[in-house]
Amino acid sequence: MQLSIRHETQYRYTAALGYTIQQLHLTPRGEPQQHVLQWHLDAPGHLHAYTDAYGNLSHMLTLDKPHEDLVIVAEGVVETATPPQGRIAVRDTLSPLVYTVATRLTMPTENIRALAASCLPGRQAGTRDLMKLAEHIFGAVTYQTGATAVTTTATDALAQGSGVCQDHAHIFLACCHAVGIPARYVSGYIDPGNTNHAASHAWVDAWAQDDGFAGWVSIDVTHARLMTDAYCRIAIGRDYEAAAPIRGMRSGGGDEIMTVDVQIVPH
Amino acid sequence: MLSRTADHLFWMARYTERAENTARMLDVNVQTALLPQSPDAAARAWRAMLGISELQEAYDAKHDTVTAKDVIDFMVCDPSNPSSITACLTEARENARAVRGTLTTEVWEVQNQTFLDLRRRLHGGQLRKDPSQFFEWVKYRSHLSRGVTLGTMLQDETVNFIRLGTFLERADNTARILDVKFHGVDDGAEQGGPDMRRDFYYWAALLRSVSGFEIYRKVYRDVITPERVAELLMLRSDMPRSLLACLDEVVENLRAVRNDVSGETERLAGKLHADLQFARIDDLLARGLHDTLTEFLARIYELGNRVSRDFLVPLAA
Amino acid sequence: MQFYNEMSDDGGVREHYREFSAWLAQQTPDAIERKRMEADLTFRRVGITFAVYGDNAGTERLIPFDMIPRIIPAAEWALLQRGLVQRVRALNMFIDDVYHEQHIIRAGIIPAEQIYRNAQYRPEMQGIKVASDIYAHVAGIDIVRAGAGEFYVLEDNLRVPSGVSYMLEDRKMMMRLHPELFASHQIAPVEHYPDMLLDNLRSVAPMGVMDPTVVVMTPGMYNSAYFEHAFLAQQMGVELVEGKDLFVSNSAVYMRTTRGPKKVDVIYRRLDDDFLDPLAFRADSALGVPGLLSVYRAGRVTLANAIGTGVADDKSIYPYVPDIIRFYLSEEPVLNNVPTYQCRKPDELSYTLANLPDLVVKEVHGAGGYGMLVGPASTSEQIEAFRARLLAHPEGYIAQPTLSLSNCPTFVESGVAPRHIDLRPFVLSGKTISMVPGGLTRVALQEGSLVVNSSQGGGTKDTWVLES
C-alpha cells in the first residue's frame, strides 16, 4: 500500500540556547519491501547526511546560533509491500552475530531467562517459536503508556508487567540474547487504521531457522503478529538508543517542552 | 587558549580579589567601631556592610541580632555564606587547581599555601583575638598572588584574563563599599549636624581600607571632605583602586584579547570608561552618588556577563 | 625458585652492569639517601604526582621511583625491537582485516564468535577507512623475562596505554641526580618521544589538511593518569582538552577558545571508546563529545588510537597472536607469547582444573591485575572458590604457567635487594613503525610480589638501552 507520512517534532525552550545537536533517523530505509516515492526532511541549521553503522539513513543536525525553538519535519510517501511470512530480505552491512550482543537495555537476567526458556528451544528457533515468544510477551506485559521511560530496561519492564512497544521489543530482544539468537530493534511507523494507536512504533527482527530458510523475520511484539504492509521501517539497531528517531543534546535553554505529531494515512 | 582555561583563570582572580575586598571592608568596620558611637549606630554600620554584599537575608536566617562578632564570623567562615572569605579563597584555589598546568609553580604554590594557612589561622582563633591582623594577612596574600602572577607568568592571554577578573571584581567591590559609606553619611546627617572630628575618622577609615589615605594627602593637601573622597576613589586614574583605574585595565585587557564577537563588549567598556574619565564630581553629586553607583554596578555586572559569554564559559541561564 | 637476576649471575656481575655496579659500590648509604630525598622533593615540587591531583588536605601521592636502573645491552634490545615492530605491524593488519574483509575469519584461524561477541568489537568501525590503515597509533607491549632469561610478551595494550610520562620523567630525574653515570655509560636517549608522537599524530591527519591541529583529550583531573595527559600535551605543545571543550558543527569538530571556535583535526584521546560520544556509545557519559563518531566515520577527524582497537588486545585474542603474525606476515614470531590455555576449549579447561595450584588464571575481560588467581600464592580455600567460578563460566578465563619473572636489584628498607620487574616499550605507528629505546620498567616493591601495577603498590625504574 502507499503510505503518506508526516512526522513533526517541536522543541520549545524557556531561554535562548547557543548550541543544539540532534541525531536523526527520520528517513525510511532502502529495503526491498518498501519504496520511497517522495521524502523530504526540513530542519534548521546544518544537516550532515550519512549512513550509520547499521545501514540506517541518518542525519546529524547541528545548530550553533542562538535559538529558542527547533522544528523538524519529515514527510513523504512510501510504497510498502507485505513481506512473505514476515521475511525481510535486507542486504545487511553487518554479520547477524553483531545482534547477539546485549546492551544495558536488553541484558538477560533471571526473569528474562525463564521467559526465554519457556518459549525458545535454543539457538535454532523457527518462526513459530519466535511468534510464541511474541504472544507470551503480549500476554505478560500490558500495553500502558507512562508506566516506563525510555531508559527502562527489559528486565524491569517485564517485572513491572506493563510498558509500551519499546519495552515489548526490548524484552523480546533480551530473551533472544539469553539463548544466542540474533535479534534487533526496529523503529518506524505503523498505519494505525481505525485504532488510536500511535503512528510511531517499535518492533523487532529475529533470526529464524525454518525448513529451507535461515534469515530475518520481522515481528510486531505489541500486536503479536508478523510485519505487514502497514509498516514503514526507519531504523534498526541493537536497542532503542541506537535506533531512536531523534536523540540529541543541547547547551543552555532552560527547560524544554517537546511535542511530537505523527500522521500516517493511506495515500 | 581554551575558553575553559581562561574561565578558571578569570574566576581564580575574581575570587581572590573578592576575598581581599571583603577583608578590607570588614577591617573598616572594625576600625570605625572603635570610635565613640551609640550601639544603634554600630549595629547599623554592620548591617550596612551585610547590605553591600546583599547578604542580609542569609544573615538574618541564622542570627537574631547584629553583633560585630557574629557578622565577622558570617563574613569570614560561615558555610551558608557563599561569599565568605573562606568560600572565596577555596574557590580561588579550586579554579587554580583546575588549570595548574597553565600556572607557574610559584603562582600555584601561593594559592595553595593561602588555602592551607587559612584553615590553620581560623583554627588557631586569630579571628577572635585580633581580627585586623587576620584581615591584613588576607590582603597580603592577595598582593602576593598578584605579584607572582606579574613576576613569573608569561605575559600573554593568561595574564589578560587574570587581570580582567581582578579589575572587574575590584570595580564592583569598590563601588559597593563607596555606596554603603556614602549612605552612612546621610544617616549621620540625620542625627543632627556634622561632627568634624567624627567625620575625619570615618573618612580616614574608608580611605585606609582602599589604601588611599596617604594618597589623599598627597593629592589634595587639604582637609578630608566627602566630595574629594568620592572624586579620588571614582575618577582619578592615578589612584590604583579607583573605579577609573579599574576601567583603564578592563579596557586595555579587552583590547588585547579582542575576538570576532567582542566588539560590542569593548564598546560598552569604552563608554563606561569615558563616562568616568570625563565626569565632573559636582555633576555626580548633584545627581546623587547612590544613583550613579547603582548604575555603575549594573553596567559592570553586564560587562562581566558579556566577558563570560564572549570569551569564557557563559554563565548558566 | 631460581630467578634470572638482571644484574648478576653465578659468575658475577653481568658485563653490561659492571660499570654501574662499580659505581654503586662507591656510594655511601648517606649519599644515596640524600639523592632519594632530592628526587622525592623534585617530583613533588614540579607536580609530578603520577596520581590523582590532590585532595582537600593538599597532599599528593607519588609513585615510588627506584634509582637503580634496568640496563639492557644493545644486542638484546635489537632483538626486542625487531619483535615489537613485527608484532605491532601484524596487530594493526589484524584490526584492519576484522573491520574489512575478515580474511582471518574466513581462513578459519579465529572463530567469528570470538570477534563479534567481544565487547570491544565496534560495529561502528565496520567498513570504515582510517588514515594510513593504522588503528593502534600508540601500543604499549608488556614484556617479561623469565626462566633462564627468555623474553615473553605478557600483554598487548592497544587502547589507551599509559606510563610513557614516567619513562620520560625517570630519565630526567636520573640525569639530574647522577650525571656522572651518563658520562661513563653510552645510554640511548629517549627524550625525543614527544616529538615522535607529535610527528606521528600529524601524519595521520584527515586528507587535505595542511597544518593539522592536534589535541590531547583527557577525562579530566580526577583521572589517575591525568598528569601524563597534561605532560604529553605540554611536551608536544598542543592543547589539553576535555569533552566539554569540544563540539561538533557542520560535520567537523571544534574547540572553544578565547578567539572563537577552532577546528580540530587529530585527537589523541585518553579515554575509552565507551565514553567518547554519548549519542553513539554510553549515553550517560559526560566526558565525550556528542556527534564525534559521525565526524570520525566521515573521515573529517582522526582519533588516535582508533575506535575498536580493543578487539585485538583482549586476553581472549592473545593466544592467537602468534598465528596472526604468521597469517599476515608469513613470518615466525620473533617474540613469544607466554604459553596460554584457553578455558573455553574443553581439553585446555581440564588441564587448567587439574593444575590450579601451579597456574595463573586470568579473566578474559579484565585489567589492572584484579580478578585473577595466582595458584602458587593462594590457599586451598581460595583455589576451590576460584574453581567454582571457573566451572560456571569457563569461556571467561585463560590460564598460564606461573612465570619466574626476572628480578633487578632495588633499594629497599634494608639496603639493596632483588625485586621482580617487567618492561613496557611504547611502539608508535604512523607512516612507519618507530619507538624510543627501552620503555617503562615497572618493579614490584613488595618482596616476592609479582604484581607491578602502580595502582597496587608498584614502582618504576629508569630503563637504559646501551648503545653497543
Side-chain angles (χ1 to χ4, degrees), chain B residues 1-6 93-94 97-101 105-106 108-109 112 115-116 119 157 161 256-260 310-312, chain C residues 44-49 53-60 221-222 226 230 234 239-242 244-245 255-260:
Chain B
M1 61 167 27
L2 280 185
S3 293
R4 185 172 48 88
T5 305
R93 187 234 187 200
E94 279 309 296
R97 193 153 76 97
V99 293
R100 181 166 162 176
T105 311
E106 287 90 341
W108 160 251
E109 283 185 347
N112 196 32
F115 172 76
L116 295 174
R119 289 159 71 148
E157 276 201 335
F161 285 105
V257 297
R258 164 191 297 168
N259 67 19
D260 288 343
D310 293 348
F311 301 97
L312 314 174
Chain C
R44 247 180 238 285
R45 236 191 129 254
V46 186
I48 305 164
T49 57
Y53 258 63
D55 54 22
N56 283 333
T59 57
E60 286 153 333
M221 67 177 181
Y222 296 103
Y226 179 70
Q234 190 232 16
E239 279 294 351
L240 177 72
V241 304
E242 294 178 24
K244 56 184 143 171
D245 298 315
M255 61 177 162
R256 298 191 166 93
T257 78
T258 51
R259 299 228 171 265

Side-chain angles (χ1 to χ4, degrees), chain A residues 95 163 178 264:
Chain A
S95 156
I264 170 167

Side-chain angles (χ1 to χ4, degrees), chain B residues 20-28 139 143 209-211 241:
Chain B
E20 178 184 343
N21 290 324
T22 305
R24 286 175 181 274
M25 266 194 328
L26 288 168
D27 205 23
V28 174
K139 281 193 272 182
H143 283 316
S209 81
V210 294
S211 308
R241 300 194 79 88

Side-chain angles (χ1 to χ4, degrees), chain C residues 79-117:
Chain C
L79 176 85
L80 283 174
Q81 184 166 285
R82 249 188 28 245
L84 288 166
V85 169
Q86 178 194 57
R87 192 173 177 106
V88 171
R89 171 170 287 134
L91 285 171
N92 264 315
M93 292 172 75
F94 168 65
I95 300 172
D96 189 54
D97 190 32
V98 163
Y99 290 117
H100 291 93
E101 299 304 302
Q102 300 184 335
H103 294 297
I104 200 166
I105 297 178
R106 282 183 239 239
I109 310 246
I110 300 185
E113 288 250 333
Q114 286 260 252
I115 303 287
Y116 288 112
R117 297 198 62 90

Side-chain angles (χ1 to χ4, degrees), chain B residues 1 35 62 93 112 123 127 134 137 157 159 161 196 198 230-231 274 289 294 299 304 308:
Chain B
M1 61 167 27
L35 298 171
K62 293 196 75 161
R93 187 234 187 200
N112 196 32
H123 279 138
L127 193 58
F134 175 81
W137 174 80
E157 276 201 335
V159 170
F161 285 105
M196 253 338 267
R198 182 171 166 280
E231 184 183 59
L289 221 41
T294 304
R299 288 167 81 176
S308 285

Side-chain angles (χ1 to χ4, degrees), chain B:
Chain B
M1 61 167 27
L2 280 185
S3 293
R4 185 172 48 88
T5 305
D7 189 73
H8 282 305
L9 293 170
F10 179 79
W11 285 102
M12 174 186 85
R14 288 198 76 146
Y15 280 114
T16 303
E17 184 70 22
R18 193 176 298 178
E20 178 184 343
N21 290 324
T22 305
R24 286 175 181 274
M25 266 194 328
L26 288 168
D27 205 23
V28 174
N29 260 45
V30 165
Q31 303 290 341
T32 53
L34 299 173
L35 298 171
Q37 62 193 295
S38 68
D40 266 355
R44 242 190 327 230
W46 286 110
R47 187 166 275 292
M49 239 209 40
L50 291 169
I52 292 178
S53 331
E54 295 164 32
L55 289 165
Q56 298 114 307
E57 265 187 56
Y59 179 86
D60 289 336
K62 293 196 75 161
H63 300 273
D64 293 325
T65 55
V66 173
T67 67
K69 175 183 165 308
D70 283 340
V71 174
I72 290 176
D73 267 351
F74 182 73
M75 296 295 289
V76 172
C77 52
D78 193 316
S80 63
N81 178 1
S83 294
S84 71
I85 290 181
T86 300
C88 289
L89 291 177
T90 305
E91 277 296 323
R93 187 234 187 200
E94 279 309 296
N95 275 290
R97 193 153 76 97
V99 293
R100 181 166 162 176
T102 57
L103 303 171
T104 56
T105 311
E106 287 90 341
V107 173
W108 160 251
E109 283 185 347
V110 167
Q111 282 290 345
N112 196 32
Q113 204 56 45
T114 303
F115 172 76
L116 295 174
D117 281 353
L118 174 69
R119 289 159 71 148
R120 229 183 0 94
R121 278 171 192 261
L122 290 177
H123 279 138
Q126 186 188 50
L127 193 58
R128 213 133 303 163
K129 293 183 222 145
D130 192 345
S132 269
Q133 204 185 69
F134 175 81
F135 300 136
E136 269 307 306
W137 174 80
V138 174
K139 281 193 272 182
Y140 168 73
R141 293 304 295 185
S142 183
H143 283 316
L144 189 59
S145 204
R146 268 196 305 281
V148 293
T149 302
L150 286 176
T152 66
M153 300 271 304
L154 182 64
Q155 302 291 306
D156 64 0
E157 276 201 335
T158 312
V159 170
N160 293 132
F161 285 105
I162 288 176
R163 288 179 83 73
L164 266 175
T166 299
F167 291 101
L168 279 170
E169 188 70 28
R170 184 179 297 179
D172 170 282
N173 293 174
T174 305
R176 287 176 195 268
I177 295 177
L178 281 174
D179 195 24
V180 160
K181 286 307 161 189
F182 276 92
H183 253 129
V185 170
D186 300 331
D187 279 353
E190 281 163 26
Q191 298 296 349
D195 175 339
M196 253 338 267
R197 193 190 48 180
R198 182 171 166 280
D199 273 346
F200 169 81
Y201 287 112
Y202 185 85
W203 295 114
L206 171 60
L207 282 172
R208 279 193 224 279
S209 81
V210 294
S211 308
F213 185 79
E214 284 83 8
I215 294 183
Y216 184 100
R217 284 289 188 230
K218 262 185 108 166
V219 171
Y220 294 107
R221 300 180 192 285
D222 200 347
V223 296
I224 299 185
T225 68
E227 297 76 19
R228 292 211 195 99
V229 170
E231 184 183 59
L232 182 67
L233 300 189
M234 290 176 70
L235 308 181
R236 287 199 67 105
S237 69
D238 48 357
M239 158 68 193
R241 300 194 79 88
S242 77
L243 300 187
L244 180 56
C246 293
L247 259 303
D248 277 342
E249 285 280 346
V250 169
V251 165
E252 184 188 313
N253 284 286
L254 270 180
R255 185 182 311 135
V257 297
R258 164 191 297 168
N259 67 19
D260 288 343
V261 301
S262 64
E264 179 64 11
T265 302
E266 249 195 288
R267 189 187 73 82
L268 291 171
K271 193 151 176 297
L272 182 54
H273 177 268
D275 287 345
L276 285 171
Q277 189 178 28
F278 301 113
R280 281 194 293 228
I281 191 64
D282 301 320
D283 295 339
L284 297 182
L285 290 169
R287 180 186 161 190
L289 221 41
H290 176 65
D291 282 349
T292 304
L293 289 170
T294 304
E295 186 202 317
F296 179 85
L297 280 169
R299 288 167 81 176
I300 276 287
Y301 179 76
E302 166 76 3
L303 274 179
N305 279 359
R306 293 191 73 100
V307 165
S308 285
R309 215 184 52 209
D310 293 348
F311 301 97
L312 314 174
V313 177
L315 298 169

